[in-house]
Amino acid sequence: MDCLFCEIVKGNIPSKKLYEDEQCVAFYDINPMAPVHFLVVPKAHIACADEITQENSPVVAHIFCVIAKLAKEQGLCDGYRIVNNCKENAGQTVRHLHFHVLGGGPLSLQMA
Ligand code: AMP
Ligand code: ZN
């Protein structure tokens, strides 16, 4: 299987990692859309949010705990946005579940 974020998780493709534990990795987005923009991904391959199940969902709760910790560390005390794009119509380009964390200033309110 050819998955960019699996390769980043394994360290085969370089990234600017800001956090790693046994379940997930966080790294800065290569094309930042906000002053602070990082991605948090599960180490296990899940293609998209549509493939979250009772069995694999604990990592999602874990990722949200990690996001809260990293947001504090990154100084996002005035707020931030968590974004997940699921499949083509939402513009998902990398088919490995990932949560964008965007902040560092006021964000546009555009939702679609
Ligand atoms: P999405 O459009 O929601 O699938 O988001 C994919 C994100 O991955 C985009 O914001 C890209 O800029 C980002 N991205 C693609 N390749 C890399 C990479 N090698 N390192 C870090 N971020 C990447
Ligand atoms: Zn993957």
Side-chain angles (χ1 to χ4, degrees), residues 1 3-7 43-46 95-96:
M1 189 175 49
C3 173
L4 174 64
F5 288 174
C6 280
E7 294 306 308
K43 284 190 166 175
H45 181 86
I46 300 171
R95 291 279 276 159
H96 179 126

mmCIF file of all heavy atoms in Angstrom, residues 1 3-7 43-46 95-96, ligand 2:
data_model
loop_
_atom_site.group_PDB
_atom_site.id
_atom_site.type_symbol
_atom_site.label_atom_id
_atom_site.label_comp_id
_atom_site.label_asym_id
_atom_site.label_seq_id
_atom_site.Cartn_x
_atom_site.Cartn_y
_atom_site.Cartn_z
ATOM 1 N N MET A 1 0.853 -1.194 0.000
ATOM 2 C CA MET A 1 0.000 0.000 0.000
ATOM 3 C C MET A 1 0.892 1.249 0.000
ATOM 4 O O MET A 1 1.862 1.333 0.726
ATOM 5 C CB MET A 1 -0.889 -0.019 1.236
ATOM 6 C CG MET A 1 -1.938 1.052 1.220
ATOM 7 S SD MET A 1 -3.046 0.911 2.615
ATOM 8 C CE MET A 1 -1.887 0.739 3.967
ATOM 9 N N CYS A 3 1.023 4.828 0.939
ATOM 10 C CA CYS A 3 0.336 5.873 1.702
ATOM 11 C C CYS A 3 1.366 6.854 2.249
ATOM 12 O O CYS A 3 2.242 6.486 3.037
ATOM 13 C CB CYS A 3 -0.487 5.262 2.835
ATOM 14 S SG CYS A 3 -1.188 6.510 3.928
ATOM 15 N N LEU A 4 1.248 8.104 1.828
ATOM 16 C CA LEU A 4 2.201 9.151 2.223
ATOM 17 C C LEU A 4 2.332 9.258 3.740
ATOM 18 O O LEU A 4 3.443 9.315 4.289
ATOM 19 C CB LEU A 4 1.753 10.484 1.619
ATOM 20 C CG LEU A 4 2.540 11.725 2.023
ATOM 21 C CD1 LEU A 4 3.972 11.646 1.537
ATOM 22 C CD2 LEU A 4 1.857 12.985 1.494
ATOM 23 N N PHE A 5 1.186 9.288 4.446
ATOM 24 C CA PHE A 5 1.272 9.510 5.892
ATOM 25 C C PHE A 5 1.761 8.258 6.621
ATOM 26 O O PHE A 5 2.404 8.381 7.674
ATOM 27 C CB PHE A 5 -0.057 10.034 6.446
ATOM 28 C CG PHE A 5 -0.334 11.481 6.055
ATOM 29 C CD1 PHE A 5 -1.555 12.075 6.375
ATOM 30 C CD2 PHE A 5 0.607 12.256 5.400
ATOM 31 C CE1 PHE A 5 -1.819 13.408 6.027
ATOM 32 C CE2 PHE A 5 0.354 13.589 5.043
ATOM 33 C CZ PHE A 5 -0.870 14.162 5.362
ATOM 34 N N CYS A 6 1.501 7.052 6.092
ATOM 35 C CA CYS A 6 2.134 5.855 6.669
ATOM 36 C C CYS A 6 3.650 5.970 6.548
ATOM 37 O O CYS A 6 4.389 5.617 7.485
ATOM 38 C CB CYS A 6 1.639 4.584 5.973
ATOM 39 S SG CYS A 6 0.029 4.003 6.553
ATOM 40 N N GLU A 7 4.131 6.483 5.430
ATOM 41 C CA GLU A 7 5.578 6.640 5.239
ATOM 42 C C GLU A 7 6.142 7.697 6.178
ATOM 43 O O GLU A 7 7.248 7.545 6.702
ATOM 44 C CB GLU A 7 5.892 6.978 3.776
ATOM 45 C CG GLU A 7 5.563 5.858 2.783
ATOM 46 C CD GLU A 7 6.223 4.530 3.148
ATOM 47 O OE1 GLU A 7 7.450 4.518 3.369
ATOM 48 O OE2 GLU A 7 5.500 3.517 3.244
ATOM 49 N N LYS A 43 -1.167 6.336 13.987
ATOM 50 C CA LYS A 43 -0.096 5.529 13.378
ATOM 51 C C LYS A 43 -0.694 4.411 12.539
ATOM 52 O O LYS A 43 -0.150 4.066 11.489
ATOM 53 C CB LYS A 43 0.832 4.960 14.462
ATOM 54 C CG LYS A 43 1.784 5.997 15.014
ATOM 55 C CD LYS A 43 2.849 5.368 15.906
ATOM 56 C CE LYS A 43 3.961 6.380 16.157
ATOM 57 N NZ LYS A 43 4.971 5.856 17.110
ATOM 58 N N ALA A 44 -1.795 3.847 13.013
ATOM 59 C CA ALA A 44 -2.465 2.786 12.243
ATOM 60 C C ALA A 44 -3.181 3.431 11.059
ATOM 61 O O ALA A 44 -3.776 4.514 11.186
ATOM 62 C CB ALA A 44 -3.460 2.064 13.129
ATOM 63 N N HIS A 45 -3.129 2.777 9.926
ATOM 64 C CA HIS A 45 -3.764 3.340 8.731
ATOM 65 C C HIS A 45 -5.284 3.220 8.833
ATOM 66 O O HIS A 45 -5.836 2.127 8.890
ATOM 67 C CB HIS A 45 -3.274 2.629 7.466
ATOM 68 C CG HIS A 45 -3.891 3.202 6.223
ATOM 69 N ND1 HIS A 45 -3.356 4.293 5.565
ATOM 70 C CD2 HIS A 45 -5.009 2.865 5.541
ATOM 71 C CE1 HIS A 45 -4.119 4.595 4.533
ATOM 72 N NE2 HIS A 45 -5.137 3.739 4.484
ATOM 73 N N ILE A 46 -5.945 4.384 8.831
ATOM 74 C CA ILE A 46 -7.401 4.483 8.675
ATOM 75 C C ILE A 46 -7.567 5.458 7.512
ATOM 76 O O ILE A 46 -6.994 6.553 7.543
ATOM 77 C CB ILE A 46 -8.076 5.045 9.950
ATOM 78 C CG1 ILE A 46 -7.808 4.145 11.159
ATOM 79 C CG2 ILE A 46 -9.585 5.232 9.729
ATOM 80 C CD1 ILE A 46 -8.253 4.750 12.510
ATOM 81 N N ARG A 95 -5.229 10.008 1.695
ATOM 82 C CA ARG A 95 -6.210 9.034 2.186
ATOM 83 C C ARG A 95 -5.661 8.274 3.398
ATOM 84 O O ARG A 95 -5.513 7.042 3.377
ATOM 85 C CB ARG A 95 -6.593 8.080 1.047
ATOM 86 C CG ARG A 95 -7.406 8.792 -0.031
ATOM 87 C CD ARG A 95 -8.875 8.932 0.320
ATOM 88 N NE ARG A 95 -9.606 7.706 -0.027
ATOM 89 C CZ ARG A 95 -10.761 7.345 0.492
ATOM 90 N NH1 ARG A 95 -11.328 8.095 1.425
ATOM 91 N NH2 ARG A 95 -11.353 6.257 0.112
ATOM 92 N N HIS A 96 -5.316 9.040 4.415
ATOM 93 C CA HIS A 96 -4.938 8.511 5.736
ATOM 94 C C HIS A 96 -5.518 9.531 6.705
ATOM 95 O O HIS A 96 -5.171 10.721 6.626
ATOM 96 C CB HIS A 96 -3.418 8.396 5.832
ATOM 97 C CG HIS A 96 -2.899 7.886 7.151
ATOM 98 N ND1 HIS A 96 -2.044 6.782 7.242
ATOM 99 C CD2 HIS A 96 -3.071 8.324 8.420
ATOM 100 C CE1 HIS A 96 -1.726 6.576 8.506
ATOM 101 N NE2 HIS A 96 -2.339 7.503 9.254
HETATM 102 ZN ZN ZN B 2 -1.645 5.360 5.756
#
